[in-house]
Amino acid sequence: MPSRKHFSQVVLPGLYDECRAKVEEEIHTVMYYATTTDMWSSRTTHPYMALTIHFVDKDWNLRSRCLQTSYFPDDHMAEMLARGLREALESWGLHEDRLVCVTTDNATNNILALQLNDWTRLQCFGHRLHLAIGRSVKLPQVERAVGVCRKIVAAFSNSWKRRWELAKAQAEQKPPLPPHQLITETPTKWGSMQEMVERIIEQEKAISHILRADKKARHLVPTWQDMDMLESMNKVLSPLKEFTDALSGEHYPSVSYLKPVLHLFNNQILKHQDDDTPLTTTIKESILTYLNEKCDDQTTEELLDMASLVDPRFKTTYIKQERVDYMKTRPAAELQRLVAEEAAAAPLPPATAVRDEDEPEEVPAKKKSLSSYFKKAAGQAGHQSSRESTEKELNLYLQLDAGPDTDPLEWWRQHEAHFPRVAKLARKYLCIPATSFPSEWAFSASGNIVTCQRSALKPARVDQLVFLALNL
């Protein structure tokens, strides 16, 4: 039988090398790509940096690959992070000029690191919404009600007897309550506070029945004021969770949804309703103010506008009216630049003859003829026609309608031949993830690998195991 040493030193490294070679071959021909990155500390307090890559392949499939979960023992200063990210891209043979955007959380060192590298950054929408909700529930009465929820969950989590009584009380209620356990809030998990509050509201009758019968826990019974606070807060937050989950996907474009989602928040989901309580109105206004301020940055707005423009479902629908004309001319200019870069990168034709260095170069004197002027004029006309054809193609694309249920990647797979220039922009911008969830998922896989029973794993081995777990 093969020994443990054989698997750890022969089989696992061989499998890692084979999988890495496949990933390198897959990303070698990628024209444009986006990344996500984040920092994490394991159970052994070893710091790791995760890096994932996202791109649209030649068949218009959105691909996501975890490149590394590498040991990062240096200080987590912006300069060190910037250098570490550059070295990571170089180790995979990725060119910085093809990097469209990096999606990260709101950590200051991440922001400064990307500024030092002069890379475009998109703030993770999940973290942004999480921070907006956290700022909106800072009112004293709301914090008290949420604090009561945390104490109730802790009281039931630390007692098997109370959990057994909860199951019994759920069945005795008329009508019976769902046999659900209480949910513990995780500060780093998006939406976990809302899930905890929603479960407390659902099980309030059974919880109150159990706590009133226990003298030691009777003070934890939520008052009617607490329940009013929780219900007002849950009314605002419950519709937001499904948007966070939908924008965390890796196999379909998500960045093009950000503009429509923000429009939906402002005009429907978080819009003031006649039956809203004062607390509900305050929370809605606080969340909207924070989200709109963060998206008002010029770089972010242009990035989201471009992503929305190349999505056949949205195009200019959710772009500000005063920016529509500008967003129609900007893609044409960018397409001209991309065409020029591709022409410059094309190999030059070989020389037809080689002149001896000792042989004097003879340049016959020629008079300037009229034909030279016509050649120059023809070149200018060709350049102008190229720009005109680009603008014409863009206008035709904007006039073509696509249904709201259309898969944008499938649409581009069918229409790439009709709009080859605009398709380049679509391939460039639709690969950007709206959240840094892929990096978070890498750390979740790392937590399942570096357990208490496997705390002696070396960092290099952790990187190999996480890479195989997410890429095989």
Side-chain angles (χ1 to χ4, degrees):
M1 290 289 291
S3 64
R4 176 184 178 276
K5 184 177 181 180
H6 173 75
F7 280 104
S8 63
Q9 298 186 5
V10 178
V11 177
L12 183 62
L15 188 60
Y16 172 78
D17 292 339
E18 180 182 354
C19 186
R20 182 184 174 99
K22 291 181 180 179
V23 174
E24 286 179 341
E25 182 180 1
E26 190 177 15
I27 67 177
H28 177 68
T29 58
V30 172
M31 182 58 67
Y32 301 106
Y33 65 93
T35 62
T36 71
T37 185
D38 204 354
M39 301 294 296
W40 172 76
S41 295
S42 66
R43 294 176 183 268
T44 57
T45 67
H46 286 163
Y48 290 88
M49 172 189 283
L51 181 67
T52 66
I53 183 174
H54 310 266
F55 57 93
V56 178
D57 64 15
K58 61 181 180 180
D59 297 323
W60 289 97
N61 297 311
L62 184 57
R63 301 295 185 186
S64 177
R65 294 289 181 263
C66 176
L67 297 184
Q68 66 176 36
T69 309
S70 60
Y71 183 51
F72 197 85
D74 300 322
D75 292 336
H76 295 177
M77 299 181 65
E79 294 79 5
M80 304 304 294
L81 292 178
R83 188 176 69 180
L85 290 171
R86 283 183 180 272
E87 292 175 352
L89 295 186
E90 291 175 0
S91 67
W92 284 90
L94 295 169
H95 299 282
E96 292 183 28
D97 55 349
R98 297 182 180 180
L99 175 61
V100 184
C101 178
V102 182
T103 306
T104 68
D105 59 14
N106 207 34
T108 304
N109 53 356
N110 283 334
I111 298 174
L112 294 178
L114 297 184
Q115 290 178 353
L116 291 174
N117 286 343
D118 196 21
W119 294 350
T120 303
R121 170 184 172 269
L122 177 66
Q123 182 182 345
C124 169
F125 183 80
H127 283 94
R128 180 185 298 169
L129 186 59
H130 182 72
L131 292 174
I133 293 172
R135 295 163 70 96
S136 67
V137 296
K138 290 295 184 181
L139 298 175
Q141 59 269 32
V142 179
E143 289 186 333
R144 181 194 179 281
V146 174
V148 170
C149 289
R150 296 191 183 106
K151 292 178 182 179
I152 291 174
V153 172
F156 280 84
S157 299
N158 298 327
S159 173
W160 67 266
K161 182 179 179 181
R162 288 197 184 103
R163 293 199 299 271
W164 176 79
E165 291 176 346
L166 177 63
K168 183 179 178 181
Q170 289 169 344
E172 291 176 351
Q173 296 297 319
K174 296 184 184 295
L177 295 176
H180 296 157
Q181 294 292 328
L182 301 185
I183 297 176
T184 303
E185 179 191 12
T186 306
T188 57
K189 182 183 177 183
W190 314 330
S192 60
M193 181 180 67
Q194 184 272 331
E195 293 176 351
M196 176 187 68
V197 170
E198 188 174 39
R199 186 59 53 85
I200 292 290
I201 294 174
E202 177 191 85
Q203 303 291 333
E204 187 266 335
K205 293 183 179 179
I207 291 171
S208 299
H209 176 76
I210 296 170
L211 294 179
R212 287 194 184 96
D214 189 344
K215 294 181 180 180
K216 296 182 179 180
R218 193 172 297 170
H219 65 285
L220 296 178
V221 177
T223 63
W224 65 269
Q225 294 94 337
D226 293 334
M227 295 307 301
D228 282 348
M229 292 291 173
L230 295 177
E231 289 174 357
S232 297
M233 185 175 66
N234 186 64
K235 180 183 177 181
V236 181
L237 303 185
S238 57
L240 305 182
K241 181 178 180 297
E242 59 181 288
F243 291 99
T244 305
D245 294 341
L247 292 171
S248 300
E250 297 181 66
H251 303 293
Y252 53 86
S254 56
V255 68
S256 58
Y257 275 111
L258 291 182
K259 276 281 184 176
V261 166
L262 290 173
H263 181 271
L264 192 63
F265 282 0
N266 282 279
N267 295 277
Q268 185 174 342
I269 303 297
L270 297 178
K271 186 178 180 180
H272 175 70
Q273 305 292 334
D274 294 336
D275 58 343
D276 286 346
T277 64
L279 177 61
T280 301
T281 302
T282 302
I283 294 176
K284 285 183 176 181
E285 291 177 352
S286 177
I287 294 175
L288 280 178
T289 300
Y290 183 84
L291 293 178
N292 291 330
E293 285 179 356
K294 291 300 179 180
C295 292
D296 200 30
D297 175 69
Q298 182 178 356
T299 303
T300 303
E301 188 170 14
E302 287 192 2
L303 186 69
L304 298 184
D305 285 344
M306 286 296 297
S308 179
L309 184 74
V310 296
D311 192 316
R313 299 167 297 179
F314 308 132
K315 297 176 182 175
T316 60
T317 304
Y318 299 101
I319 299 176
K320 294 179 180 179
Q321 190 63 37
E322 61 271 17
R323 290 177 54 85
V324 171
D325 292 336
Y326 168 72
M327 290 309 301
K328 288 181 179 179
T329 58
R330 183 180 182 274
E334 184 170 353
L335 283 172
Q336 289 294 116
R337 181 175 57 81
L338 294 179
V339 171
E341 291 177 356
E342 291 179 359
L348 297 175
T352 56
V354 179
R355 183 180 58 85
D356 189 356
E357 294 182 359
D358 297 332
E359 180 182 354
E361 182 179 3
E362 296 182 0
V363 180
K366 291 185 178 180
K367 293 183 179 180
K368 202 169 185 181
S369 62
L370 291 175
S371 60
S372 62
Y373 293 98
F374 288 109
K375 289 180 180 179
K376 183 177 180 181
Q380 293 176 350
H383 177 74
Q384 184 178 5
S385 63
S386 174
R387 183 175 182 85
E388 289 177 353
S389 61
T390 299
E391 294 176 351
K392 181 179 180 181
E393 179 182 317
L394 181 61
N395 290 330
L396 289 175
Y397 161 72
L398 294 176
Q399 294 172 9
L400 197 62
D401 293 330
D405 297 328
T406 302
D407 181 354
L409 296 180
E410 179 63 29
W411 191 93
W412 276 113
R413 184 184 294 114
Q414 298 175 4
H415 293 81
E416 180 181 10
H418 302 97
F419 309 105
R421 296 180 178 88
V422 185
K424 294 179 181 179
L425 290 181
R427 201 184 297 273
K428 178 178 180 179
Y429 286 99
L430 292 182
C431 67
I432 302 173
T435 68
S436 60
F437 174 79
S439 295
E440 304 284 347
W441 178 241
F443 293 146
S444 297
S446 304
N448 294 331
I449 291 172
V450 188
T451 61
C452 296
Q453 291 76 20
R454 307 178 74 190
S455 58
L457 285 172
K458 300 297 182 183
R461 189 72 68 208
V462 173
D463 187 17
Q464 291 179 349
L465 291 171
V466 175
F467 181 85
L468 292 174
L470 297 180
N471 292 319
L472 275 179

